[in-house]
Amino acid sequence: MSINVVIADDQRMVRAGLRMVIETEPDITVVGEAGDGVEAVALARRVRPDVVLMDIAMPRQDGLAATAALLRSPHPPRVIMLTTFDTDENLYRALRAGASGFLLKVSSPEHLITAIRVVAAGEALLDPAITTRVISAFAGQPGPRPPAELSELTPREAEVLRLVARGLSNGEIAAALTVGEATVKTHVARVLMKLGLRDRVQAVVFAYESGLVRAGSRDQNLG
């Protein structure tokens, strides 16, 4: 099945470049373009794409507000934030807005296509440097009070959440815990369900905000 994509960026040349890259792939179709956040929300609600490529800095309504508005819809699309600004503030705001992916505009075309496919499949994807920046953003913050939801997790589920927050893939977690990858997928799914989280991106934010993982600390399970 084709993955339907909406491109939201206030620069026409950027939209044209993204369309050109995307339309080389037989399984991905651009179903619309928007030049600002208000237009992006209206368009996405009308054509119901699988994925929206959302620029952060746009007129009338920025991509962060547009993403938050879209995710309040009954059948929200997945959103990948695209930006030239890689500041911690933009990163954190994008994750808090509910984005399933965050890519810099200097990312390679191959990385963009992979991101679209991964996010459309219901997973979350961060630029390779993003998890490190999340950790840095939480460094030095006062220790939060663990939320009650953490008590719902089994010790193994909490362990898996820690490793997800460290940026490990399912395969890497499986190797670290000496279990099958299918078992890890089951644990991740249960963690998301118990904590009421949509995807791994929200799980990373939750792990740090809850104090389950501290920036600069090292889990004993990782050696």
Side-chain angles (χ1 to χ4, degrees):
M1 294 180 62
S2 178
I3 300 170
N4 292 331
V5 175
V6 160
I7 301 171
D9 194 290
D10 61 330
Q11 298 182 45
R12 185 173 298 177
M13 289 185 65
V14 171
R15 297 200 305 270
L18 291 171
R19 178 185 281 271
M20 187 178 301
V21 170
I22 292 170
E23 291 188 337
T24 62
E25 303 300 318
D27 61 327
I28 308 176
T29 302
V30 176
V31 294
E33 298 181 14
D36 61 58
V38 173
E39 185 181 355
V41 171
L43 175 62
R45 286 176 174 168
R46 186 171 71 250
V47 303
R48 294 182 63 176
D50 302 297
V51 177
V52 176
L53 298 179
M54 185 81 76
D55 185 27
I56 288 184
M58 292 189 293
R60 291 211 290 170
Q61 184 180 55
D62 67 27
L64 298 168
T67 294
L70 276 179
L71 294 180
R72 290 194 293 267
S73 303
H75 303 285
R78 296 280 173 164
V79 178
I80 298 175
M81 307 301 301
L82 292 173
T83 183
T84 55
F85 306 105
D86 60 343
T87 65
D88 290 334
E89 179 184 2
N90 279 332
L91 163 63
Y92 187 66
R93 289 177 64 204
L95 298 182
R96 292 292 295 160
S100 294
F102 187 103
L103 289 175
L104 302 180
K105 290 183 179 178
V106 295
S107 298
S108 68
E110 294 79 13
H111 198 181
L112 172 64
I113 296 302
T114 297
I116 292 172
R117 291 188 177 125
V118 168
V119 167
E123 298 292 334
L125 183 141
L126 299 177
D127 192 277
I130 295 304
T131 300
T132 300
R133 296 184 70 86
V134 171
I135 293 171
S136 297
F138 283 94
Q141 291 190 0
R145 183 177 180 180
E149 292 91 337
L150 276 178
S151 64
E152 299 294 321
L153 302 183
T154 66
R156 178 47 61 94
E157 289 167 352
E159 189 175 25
V160 168
L161 178 55
R162 289 189 186 96
L163 299 181
V164 168
R166 292 296 183 194
L168 274 66
S169 67
N170 285 349
E172 291 168 335
I173 294 173
L177 301 181
T178 320
V179 298
E181 191 168 344
T183 299
V184 174
K185 290 181 180 179
T186 298
H187 284 314
V188 171
R190 287 176 178 169
V191 167
L192 297 180
M193 179 187 67
K194 288 183 177 182
L195 299 180
L197 305 174
R198 187 179 59 255
D199 53 36
R200 294 171 82 97
V201 173
Q202 288 193 335
V204 171
V205 174
F206 179 92
Y208 283 97
E209 287 188 333
S210 68
L212 180 68
V213 177
R214 298 288 181 84
S217 68
R218 223 179 145 184
D219 292 320
Q220 292 180 352
N221 294 317
L222 293 177

